[in-house]
Amino acid sequence: MNRNQTFIFYGLSAINIASGLLETEWLGYITKPLLMITLAVFYYQHTRATFSKRDRLVLFALFFSCLGDTFLMFQQLNPDYFLMGLGAFLLGHVCYILLFQQEGKSRHFRWLPFISYACLLLFFLLNRIPADFKIPVILYSVVITLMGIRASERQVNDKSYEVVLIGAVLFIISDSLIALNKFVVSVPLAGLWIMSTYVVAQYLIIHGLLINSMLKNH
């Protein structure tokens, strides 16, 4: 990702976060769906000359993330929108899992931190989640944990590996904050922390994938 693209994405992210802090809903409705669309456009600009099935998976991941962002904007109107957002993000994570699997092999000792964290999180959540939400939340926890594990197993350039792994960990943190804020305790400035970790996570994953893609094609 070049400097101008980075500036545009983080500028748009800052506007979206500010719209939440200032409770300017109309601005949030405009900017939030644009975040992943912008990343997708930038990714395609860098990969269109050698566009492959791998790149298609990345765009699908960003599409489902955009869909998830959109559904979650309306969760206060109907609880079903939260579950729909969860489902969309789950599909996005599945795309990342399939992508990461193509770039690495199993290193079982790297599973432990991710599985331990997921168990700890579910320990705090399960007794507080309404019955209708328990299975979707458990399934989502399994999928996002697997996404983190697969990110940790990639056999690629060191820079790409580190950037994507940090992004995957931040994604897990962002989703954890959503769950804790919704079901356990009101997190101070939740919108700020959730969106900050989320946009940085997605940027780092896409940037790290582009680093690897450019190295492979040169």
Tab-separated table of all heavy atoms in Angstrom, residues 64-116:
chain	number	residue	atom	x	y	z
A	64	PHE	N	-17.371	-9.454	2.523
A	64	PHE	CA	-18.152	-9.931	3.671
A	64	PHE	C	-17.924	-9.043	4.894
A	64	PHE	O	-18.840	-8.849	5.702
A	64	PHE	CB	-17.794	-11.386	3.981
A	64	PHE	CG	-18.348	-12.367	2.989
A	64	PHE	CD1	-17.504	-13.228	2.297
A	64	PHE	CD2	-19.710	-12.421	2.721
A	64	PHE	CE1	-18.005	-14.134	1.374
A	64	PHE	CE2	-20.235	-13.329	1.794
A	64	PHE	CZ	-19.373	-14.188	1.125
A	65	SER	N	-16.724	-8.501	5.028
A	65	SER	CA	-16.461	-7.571	6.128
A	65	SER	C	-17.283	-6.300	5.966
A	65	SER	O	-17.834	-5.774	6.940
A	65	SER	CB	-14.968	-7.219	6.183
A	65	SER	OG	-14.189	-8.354	6.479
A	66	CYS	N	-17.371	-5.800	4.751
A	66	CYS	CA	-18.194	-4.619	4.471
A	66	CYS	C	-19.657	-4.901	4.798
A	66	CYS	O	-20.359	-4.070	5.389
A	66	CYS	CB	-18.037	-4.215	3.011
A	66	CYS	SG	-19.025	-2.774	2.532
A	67	LEU	N	-20.116	-6.097	4.429
A	67	LEU	CA	-21.484	-6.510	4.722
A	67	LEU	C	-21.697	-6.570	6.239
A	67	LEU	O	-22.723	-6.106	6.756
A	67	LEU	CB	-21.748	-7.874	4.093
A	67	LEU	CG	-23.185	-8.244	3.714
A	67	LEU	CD1	-23.778	-7.239	2.744
A	67	LEU	CD2	-23.212	-9.645	3.105
A	68	GLY	N	-20.718	-7.136	6.947
A	68	GLY	CA	-20.806	-7.209	8.407
A	68	GLY	C	-20.856	-5.832	9.037
A	68	GLY	O	-21.653	-5.577	9.947
A	69	ASP	N	-20.010	-4.922	8.555
A	69	ASP	CA	-20.026	-3.540	9.048
A	69	ASP	C	-21.405	-2.919	8.883
A	69	ASP	O	-21.915	-2.237	9.781
A	69	ASP	CB	-19.004	-2.689	8.275
A	69	ASP	CG	-17.573	-2.982	8.678
A	69	ASP	OD1	-17.368	-3.490	9.793
A	69	ASP	OD2	-16.671	-2.702	7.870
A	70	THR	N	-22.001	-3.147	7.727
A	70	THR	CA	-23.297	-2.550	7.415
A	70	THR	C	-24.390	-3.108	8.322
A	70	THR	O	-25.211	-2.353	8.870
A	70	THR	CB	-23.658	-2.795	5.939
A	70	THR	OG1	-22.605	-2.284	5.110
A	70	THR	CG2	-24.956	-2.093	5.572
A	71	PHE	N	-24.418	-4.430	8.500
A	71	PHE	CA	-25.423	-5.038	9.381
A	71	PHE	C	-25.284	-4.535	10.819
A	71	PHE	O	-26.282	-4.233	11.483
A	71	PHE	CB	-25.308	-6.562	9.356
A	71	PHE	CG	-25.870	-7.195	8.121
A	71	PHE	CD1	-25.170	-8.201	7.452
A	71	PHE	CD2	-27.104	-6.814	7.614
A	71	PHE	CE1	-25.696	-8.803	6.313
A	71	PHE	CE2	-27.636	-7.400	6.472
A	71	PHE	CZ	-26.923	-8.396	5.822
A	72	LEU	N	-24.045	-4.447	11.310
A	72	LEU	CA	-23.835	-4.045	12.703
A	72	LEU	C	-24.239	-2.602	12.962
A	72	LEU	O	-24.538	-2.240	14.102
A	72	LEU	CB	-22.377	-4.269	13.110
A	72	LEU	CG	-21.919	-5.725	13.230
A	72	LEU	CD1	-20.481	-5.796	13.728
A	72	LEU	CD2	-22.831	-6.535	14.144
A	73	MET	N	-24.279	-1.784	11.927
A	73	MET	CA	-24.722	-0.406	12.101
A	73	MET	C	-26.181	-0.342	12.548
A	73	MET	O	-26.608	0.618	13.168
A	73	MET	CB	-24.555	0.386	10.792
A	73	MET	CG	-23.145	0.778	10.470
A	73	MET	SD	-23.060	2.040	9.172
A	73	MET	CE	-23.843	1.215	7.796
A	74	PHE	N	-26.954	-1.389	12.223
A	74	PHE	CA	-28.393	-1.368	12.491
A	74	PHE	C	-28.807	-2.343	13.594
A	74	PHE	O	-29.990	-2.622	13.763
A	74	PHE	CB	-29.159	-1.686	11.205
A	74	PHE	CG	-28.879	-0.732	10.082
A	74	PHE	CD1	-28.034	-1.088	9.043
A	74	PHE	CD2	-29.434	0.533	10.084
A	74	PHE	CE1	-27.759	-0.197	8.008
A	74	PHE	CE2	-29.169	1.433	9.058
A	74	PHE	CZ	-28.334	1.071	8.014
A	75	GLN	N	-27.839	-2.852	14.368
A	75	GLN	CA	-28.165	-3.876	15.366
A	75	GLN	C	-29.073	-3.353	16.475
A	75	GLN	O	-29.802	-4.130	17.097
A	75	GLN	CB	-26.884	-4.459	15.965
A	75	GLN	CG	-26.014	-3.458	16.700
A	75	GLN	CD	-24.776	-4.109	17.290
A	75	GLN	OE1	-24.880	-5.025	18.093
A	75	GLN	NE2	-23.607	-3.653	16.880
A	76	GLN	N	-29.056	-2.042	16.727
A	76	GLN	CA	-29.929	-1.495	17.768
A	76	GLN	C	-31.394	-1.507	17.344
A	76	GLN	O	-32.286	-1.482	18.197
A	76	GLN	CB	-29.495	-0.068	18.122
A	76	GLN	CG	-28.133	-0.020	18.824
A	76	GLN	CD	-27.715	1.390	19.175
A	76	GLN	OE1	-28.232	2.361	18.632
A	76	GLN	NE2	-26.762	1.515	20.091
A	77	LEU	N	-31.638	-1.571	16.042
A	77	LEU	CA	-33.012	-1.612	15.549
A	77	LEU	C	-33.614	-3.000	15.683
A	77	LEU	O	-34.816	-3.149	15.906
A	77	LEU	CB	-33.066	-1.165	14.075
A	77	LEU	CG	-32.531	0.240	13.765
A	77	LEU	CD1	-32.594	0.496	12.266
A	77	LEU	CD2	-33.356	1.289	14.516
A	78	ASN	N	-32.757	-4.017	15.530
A	78	ASN	CA	-33.234	-5.406	15.571
A	78	ASN	C	-32.054	-6.315	15.922
A	78	ASN	O	-31.026	-6.266	15.249
A	78	ASN	CB	-33.823	-5.787	14.205
A	78	ASN	CG	-34.527	-7.126	14.218
A	78	ASN	OD1	-34.103	-8.054	14.902
A	78	ASN	ND2	-35.603	-7.245	13.458
A	79	PRO	N	-32.192	-7.147	16.963
A	79	PRO	CA	-31.087	-8.045	17.350
A	79	PRO	C	-30.640	-8.973	16.224
A	79	PRO	O	-29.489	-9.428	16.213
A	79	PRO	CB	-31.685	-8.856	18.504
A	79	PRO	CG	-32.810	-8.025	19.025
A	79	PRO	CD	-33.350	-7.281	17.846
A	80	ASP	N	-31.536	-9.240	15.268
A	80	ASP	CA	-31.172	-10.126	14.156
A	80	ASP	C	-30.036	-9.547	13.321
A	80	ASP	O	-29.262	-10.295	12.711
A	80	ASP	CB	-32.381	-10.392	13.259
A	80	ASP	CG	-33.398	-11.308	13.926
A	80	ASP	OD1	-33.049	-11.965	14.925
A	80	ASP	OD2	-34.547	-11.353	13.456
A	81	TYR	N	-29.925	-8.221	13.299
A	81	TYR	CA	-28.844	-7.605	12.528
A	81	TYR	C	-27.478	-7.944	13.121
A	81	TYR	O	-26.486	-8.029	12.396
A	81	TYR	CB	-29.025	-6.085	12.451
A	81	TYR	CG	-30.072	-5.655	11.456
A	81	TYR	CD1	-31.192	-4.935	11.859
A	81	TYR	CD2	-29.944	-5.963	10.111
A	81	TYR	CE1	-32.161	-4.543	10.948
A	81	TYR	CE2	-30.907	-5.579	9.184
A	81	TYR	CZ	-32.008	-4.872	9.614
A	81	TYR	OH	-32.967	-4.480	8.707
A	82	PHE	N	-27.419	-8.121	14.442
A	82	PHE	CA	-26.156	-8.532	15.063
A	82	PHE	C	-25.760	-9.920	14.576
A	82	PHE	O	-24.599	-10.150	14.219
A	82	PHE	CB	-26.287	-8.527	16.590
A	82	PHE	CG	-25.041	-8.996	17.291
A	82	PHE	CD1	-23.951	-8.142	17.456
A	82	PHE	CD2	-24.945	-10.291	17.777
A	82	PHE	CE1	-22.790	-8.583	18.088
A	82	PHE	CE2	-23.795	-10.738	18.412
A	82	PHE	CZ	-22.715	-9.874	18.574
A	83	LEU	N	-26.725	-10.828	14.547
A	83	LEU	CA	-26.434	-12.189	14.081
A	83	LEU	C	-26.079	-12.206	12.598
A	83	LEU	O	-25.202	-12.960	12.172
A	83	LEU	CB	-27.640	-13.093	14.333
A	83	LEU	CG	-27.936	-13.400	15.809
A	83	LEU	CD1	-29.206	-14.231	15.935
A	83	LEU	CD2	-26.766	-14.112	16.467
A	84	MET	N	-26.733	-11.348	11.809
A	84	MET	CA	-26.410	-11.267	10.385
A	84	MET	C	-25.009	-10.699	10.187
A	84	MET	O	-24.251	-11.154	9.321
A	84	MET	CB	-27.452	-10.409	9.668
A	84	MET	CG	-28.839	-11.050	9.620
A	84	MET	SD	-30.158	-9.894	9.167
A	84	MET	CE	-29.803	-9.621	7.442
A	85	GLY	N	-24.657	-9.715	11.001
A	85	GLY	CA	-23.305	-9.166	10.939
A	85	GLY	C	-22.273	-10.205	11.333
A	85	GLY	O	-21.221	-10.334	10.700
A	86	LEU	N	-22.603	-10.981	12.374
A	86	LEU	CA	-21.732	-12.059	12.820
A	86	LEU	C	-21.517	-13.074	11.698
A	86	LEU	O	-20.391	-13.521	11.445
A	86	LEU	CB	-22.368	-12.752	14.035
A	86	LEU	CG	-21.445	-13.405	15.058
A	86	LEU	CD1	-20.587	-12.351	15.769
A	86	LEU	CD2	-22.268	-14.182	16.086
A	87	GLY	N	-22.608	-13.426	11.009
A	87	GLY	CA	-22.521	-14.383	9.907
A	87	GLY	C	-21.669	-13.867	8.762
A	87	GLY	O	-20.877	-14.617	8.177
A	88	ALA	N	-21.822	-12.577	8.444
A	88	ALA	CA	-21.035	-11.989	7.353
A	88	ALA	C	-19.550	-11.981	7.698
A	88	ALA	O	-18.703	-12.353	6.878
A	88	ALA	CB	-21.530	-10.567	7.067
A	89	PHE	N	-19.212	-11.569	8.921
A	89	PHE	CA	-17.809	-11.570	9.328
A	89	PHE	C	-17.255	-12.988	9.402
A	89	PHE	O	-16.074	-13.217	9.083
A	89	PHE	CB	-17.639	-10.872	10.679
A	89	PHE	CG	-17.508	-9.383	10.567
A	89	PHE	CD1	-18.471	-8.541	11.096
A	89	PHE	CD2	-16.420	-8.821	9.917
A	89	PHE	CE1	-18.361	-7.167	10.984
A	89	PHE	CE2	-16.293	-7.439	9.799
A	89	PHE	CZ	-17.274	-6.608	10.334
A	90	LEU	N	-18.091	-13.939	9.814
A	90	LEU	CA	-17.652	-15.334	9.842
A	90	LEU	C	-17.212	-15.786	8.451
A	90	LEU	O	-16.161	-16.417	8.292
A	90	LEU	CB	-18.774	-16.222	10.377
A	90	LEU	CG	-18.424	-17.697	10.600
A	90	LEU	CD1	-19.176	-18.243	11.817
A	90	LEU	CD2	-18.797	-18.543	9.380
A	91	LEU	N	-18.003	-15.437	7.427
A	91	LEU	CA	-17.638	-15.798	6.054
A	91	LEU	C	-16.352	-15.096	5.619
A	91	LEU	O	-15.534	-15.665	4.897
A	91	LEU	CB	-18.786	-15.456	5.107
A	91	LEU	CG	-20.062	-16.296	5.279
A	91	LEU	CD1	-21.186	-15.747	4.404
A	91	LEU	CD2	-19.790	-17.755	4.934
A	92	GLY	N	-16.189	-13.861	6.076
A	92	GLY	CA	-14.947	-13.146	5.777
A	92	GLY	C	-13.744	-13.842	6.383
A	92	GLY	O	-12.696	-13.983	5.739
A	93	HIS	N	-13.893	-14.303	7.611
A	93	HIS	CA	-12.798	-15.021	8.265
A	93	HIS	C	-12.521	-16.352	7.581
A	93	HIS	O	-11.360	-16.776	7.485
A	93	HIS	CB	-13.112	-15.244	9.739
A	93	HIS	CG	-13.017	-14.010	10.572
A	93	HIS	ND1	-11.889	-13.215	10.603
A	93	HIS	CD2	-13.907	-13.415	11.398
A	93	HIS	CE1	-12.087	-12.195	11.419
A	93	HIS	NE2	-13.310	-12.299	11.913
A	94	VAL	N	-13.555	-17.016	7.117
A	94	VAL	CA	-13.361	-18.267	6.381
A	94	VAL	C	-12.517	-18.007	5.131
A	94	VAL	O	-11.624	-18.799	4.797
A	94	VAL	CB	-14.716	-18.910	6.006
A	94	VAL	CG1	-14.520	-20.053	5.011
A	94	VAL	CG2	-15.423	-19.431	7.255
A	95	CYS	N	-12.777	-16.896	4.453
A	95	CYS	CA	-11.967	-16.536	3.278
A	95	CYS	C	-10.501	-16.351	3.663
A	95	CYS	O	-9.594	-16.824	2.964
A	95	CYS	CB	-12.509	-15.261	2.635
A	95	CYS	SG	-14.118	-15.443	1.829
A	96	TYR	N	-10.260	-15.654	4.781
A	96	TYR	CA	-8.882	-15.464	5.233
A	96	TYR	C	-8.245	-16.805	5.612
A	96	TYR	O	-7.068	-17.049	5.318
A	96	TYR	CB	-8.837	-14.520	6.441
A	96	TYR	CG	-8.928	-13.055	6.086
A	96	TYR	CD1	-9.710	-12.170	6.835
A	96	TYR	CD2	-8.199	-12.526	5.017
A	96	TYR	CE1	-9.785	-10.825	6.529
A	96	TYR	CE2	-8.273	-11.175	4.696
A	96	TYR	CZ	-9.074	-10.330	5.460
A	96	TYR	OH	-9.139	-8.990	5.148
A	97	ILE	N	-9.010	-17.686	6.269
A	97	ILE	CA	-8.487	-19.005	6.643
A	97	ILE	C	-8.048	-19.775	5.400
A	97	ILE	O	-6.946	-20.333	5.342
A	97	ILE	CB	-9.543	-19.808	7.429
A	97	ILE	CG1	-9.749	-19.208	8.821
A	97	ILE	CG2	-9.124	-21.283	7.554
A	97	ILE	CD1	-10.972	-19.736	9.542
A	98	LEU	N	-8.916	-19.810	4.388
A	98	LEU	CA	-8.589	-20.519	3.152
A	98	LEU	C	-7.357	-19.924	2.482
A	98	LEU	O	-6.513	-20.645	1.938
A	98	LEU	CB	-9.783	-20.472	2.193
A	98	LEU	CG	-11.040	-21.225	2.653
A	98	LEU	CD1	-12.207	-20.957	1.688
A	98	LEU	CD2	-10.767	-22.716	2.742
A	99	LEU	N	-7.250	-18.616	2.545
A	99	LEU	CA	-6.096	-17.933	1.955
A	99	LEU	C	-4.813	-18.260	2.717
A	99	LEU	O	-3.795	-18.631	2.117
A	99	LEU	CB	-6.347	-16.423	1.964
A	99	LEU	CG	-5.221	-15.531	1.451
A	99	LEU	CD1	-4.957	-15.796	-0.020
A	99	LEU	CD2	-5.568	-14.070	1.680
A	100	PHE	N	-4.860	-18.138	4.046
A	100	PHE	CA	-3.669	-18.394	4.856
A	100	PHE	C	-3.218	-19.847	4.751
A	100	PHE	O	-2.018	-20.136	4.818
A	100	PHE	CB	-3.924	-18.036	6.319
A	100	PHE	CG	-4.228	-16.575	6.568
A	100	PHE	CD1	-4.891	-16.175	7.719
A	100	PHE	CD2	-3.852	-15.603	5.651
A	100	PHE	CE1	-5.168	-14.840	7.957
A	100	PHE	CE2	-4.129	-14.259	5.867
A	100	PHE	CZ	-4.793	-13.877	7.032
A	101	GLN	N	-4.187	-20.769	4.607
A	101	GLN	CA	-3.852	-22.190	4.485
A	101	GLN	C	-2.999	-22.464	3.260
A	101	GLN	O	-2.207	-23.415	3.247
A	101	GLN	CB	-5.128	-23.031	4.400
A	101	GLN	CG	-5.765	-23.314	5.729
A	101	GLN	CD	-6.952	-24.241	5.631
A	101	GLN	OE1	-7.504	-24.636	6.641
A	101	GLN	NE2	-7.380	-24.589	4.437
A	102	GLN	N	-3.186	-21.644	2.223
A	102	GLN	CA	-2.422	-21.837	0.996
A	102	GLN	C	-0.962	-21.410	1.167
A	102	GLN	O	-0.124	-21.700	0.312
A	102	GLN	CB	-3.052	-21.025	-0.141
A	102	GLN	CG	-4.460	-21.458	-0.506
A	102	GLN	CD	-5.080	-20.541	-1.555
A	102	GLN	OE1	-4.399	-19.746	-2.194
A	102	GLN	NE2	-6.389	-20.642	-1.725
A	103	GLU	N	-0.670	-20.701	2.268
A	103	GLU	CA	0.666	-20.125	2.433
A	103	GLU	C	1.444	-20.744	3.595
A	103	GLU	O	2.487	-20.219	3.972
A	103	GLU	CB	0.540	-18.613	2.651
A	103	GLU	CG	-0.126	-17.902	1.491
A	103	GLU	CD	-0.281	-16.417	1.724
A	103	GLU	OE1	-0.475	-16.006	2.881
A	103	GLU	OE2	-0.214	-15.665	0.740
A	104	GLY	N	0.954	-21.836	4.166
A	104	GLY	CA	1.675	-22.385	5.301
A	104	GLY	C	1.307	-23.811	5.623
A	104	GLY	O	0.420	-24.395	4.998
A	105	LYS	N	2.005	-24.382	6.605
A	105	LYS	CA	1.724	-25.732	7.064
A	105	LYS	C	1.608	-25.720	8.581
A	105	LYS	O	2.066	-24.789	9.248
A	105	LYS	CB	2.832	-26.697	6.622
A	105	LYS	CG	4.228	-26.325	7.127
A	105	LYS	CD	5.280	-27.257	6.564
A	105	LYS	CE	6.678	-26.850	7.049
A	105	LYS	NZ	7.717	-27.731	6.514
A	106	SER	N	1.021	-26.750	9.112
A	106	SER	CA	0.707	-26.796	10.533
A	106	SER	C	1.953	-26.767	11.413
A	106	SER	O	2.919	-27.482	11.181
A	106	SER	CB	-0.103	-28.063	10.837
A	106	SER	OG	-0.427	-28.104	12.195
A	107	ARG	N	1.892	-25.890	12.421
A	107	ARG	CA	2.904	-25.863	13.483
A	107	ARG	C	2.113	-25.870	14.790
A	107	ARG	O	1.759	-24.833	15.316
A	107	ARG	CB	3.754	-24.600	13.398
A	107	ARG	CG	4.639	-24.536	12.158
A	107	ARG	CD	5.380	-23.220	12.169
A	107	ARG	NE	6.351	-23.144	11.095
A	107	ARG	CZ	7.122	-22.081	10.888
A	107	ARG	NH1	7.031	-21.036	11.678
A	107	ARG	NH2	7.985	-22.066	9.899
A	108	HIS	N	1.831	-27.032	15.302
A	108	HIS	CA	0.842	-27.176	16.371
A	108	HIS	C	1.171	-26.384	17.630
A	108	HIS	O	0.276	-25.970	18.343
A	108	HIS	CB	0.665	-28.657	16.717
A	108	HIS	CG	0.115	-29.463	15.582
A	108	HIS	ND1	-1.173	-29.298	15.118
A	108	HIS	CD2	0.673	-30.413	14.801
A	108	HIS	CE1	-1.383	-30.128	14.111
A	108	HIS	NE2	-0.273	-30.816	13.885
A	109	PHE	N	2.460	-26.160	17.904
A	109	PHE	CA	2.801	-25.435	19.128
A	109	PHE	C	2.320	-23.990	19.086
A	109	PHE	O	2.233	-23.332	20.114
A	109	PHE	CB	4.319	-25.483	19.383
A	109	PHE	CG	5.134	-24.733	18.372
A	109	PHE	CD1	5.454	-23.405	18.559
A	109	PHE	CD2	5.593	-25.376	17.213
A	109	PHE	CE1	6.213	-22.709	17.632
A	109	PHE	CE2	6.355	-24.685	16.284
A	109	PHE	CZ	6.668	-23.353	16.491
A	110	ARG	N	1.990	-23.484	17.889
A	110	ARG	CA	1.497	-22.114	17.783
A	110	ARG	C	-0.008	-22.010	18.056
A	110	ARG	O	-0.557	-20.920	18.093
A	110	ARG	CB	1.814	-21.552	16.398
A	110	ARG	CG	3.308	-21.427	16.167
A	110	ARG	CD	3.630	-20.642	14.925
A	110	ARG	NE	5.075	-20.474	14.802
A	110	ARG	CZ	5.659	-19.778	13.842
A	110	ARG	NH1	4.928	-19.197	12.931
A	110	ARG	NH2	6.964	-19.675	13.787
A	111	TRP	N	-0.655	-23.154	18.219
A	111	TRP	CA	-2.087	-23.137	18.490
A	111	TRP	C	-2.389	-22.676	19.911
A	111	TRP	O	-3.437	-22.076	20.164
A	111	TRP	CB	-2.669	-24.539	18.305
A	111	TRP	CG	-2.671	-25.045	16.907
A	111	TRP	CD1	-1.792	-24.747	15.903
A	111	TRP	CD2	-3.608	-25.960	16.329
A	111	TRP	NE1	-2.109	-25.417	14.768
A	111	TRP	CE2	-3.215	-26.165	14.998
A	111	TRP	CE3	-4.721	-26.627	16.842
A	111	TRP	CZ2	-3.916	-27.017	14.145
A	111	TRP	CZ3	-5.424	-27.474	15.998
A	111	TRP	CH2	-5.023	-27.660	14.658
A	112	LEU	N	-1.499	-22.992	20.845
A	112	LEU	CA	-1.789	-22.831	22.261
A	112	LEU	C	-2.231	-21.420	22.668
A	112	LEU	O	-3.250	-21.276	23.359
A	112	LEU	CB	-0.581	-23.272	23.095
A	112	LEU	CG	-0.783	-23.278	24.617
A	112	LEU	CD1	-1.937	-24.204	25.003
A	112	LEU	CD2	0.498	-23.715	25.316
A	113	PRO	N	-1.513	-20.344	22.291
A	113	PRO	CA	-1.954	-19.004	22.726
A	113	PRO	C	-3.354	-18.659	22.224
A	113	PRO	O	-4.147	-18.069	22.967
A	113	PRO	CB	-0.899	-18.074	22.121
A	113	PRO	CG	0.270	-18.931	21.839
A	113	PRO	CD	-0.268	-20.282	21.511
A	114	PHE	N	-3.658	-19.018	20.990
A	114	PHE	CA	-4.964	-18.680	20.420
A	114	PHE	C	-6.088	-19.482	21.075
A	114	PHE	O	-7.144	-18.932	21.405
A	114	PHE	CB	-4.958	-18.926	18.904
A	114	PHE	CG	-4.044	-18.003	18.154
A	114	PHE	CD1	-2.761	-18.393	17.806
A	114	PHE	CD2	-4.462	-16.728	17.814
A	114	PHE	CE1	-1.914	-17.544	17.129
A	114	PHE	CE2	-3.617	-15.861	17.129
A	114	PHE	CZ	-2.342	-16.268	16.793
A	115	ILE	N	-5.868	-20.776	21.273
A	115	ILE	CA	-6.895	-21.621	21.896
A	115	ILE	C	-7.095	-21.227	23.362
A	115	ILE	O	-8.232	-21.158	23.848
A	115	ILE	CB	-6.516	-23.109	21.773
A	115	ILE	CG1	-6.568	-23.534	20.304
A	115	ILE	CG2	-7.453	-23.982	22.606
A	115	ILE	CD1	-6.098	-24.953	20.041
A	116	SER	N	-6.010	-20.917	24.053
A	116	SER	CA	-6.112	-20.498	25.458
A	116	SER	C	-6.911	-19.205	25.572
A	116	SER	O	-7.779	-19.063	26.456
A	116	SER	CB	-4.711	-20.291	26.056
A	116	SER	OG	-3.976	-21.484	26.008
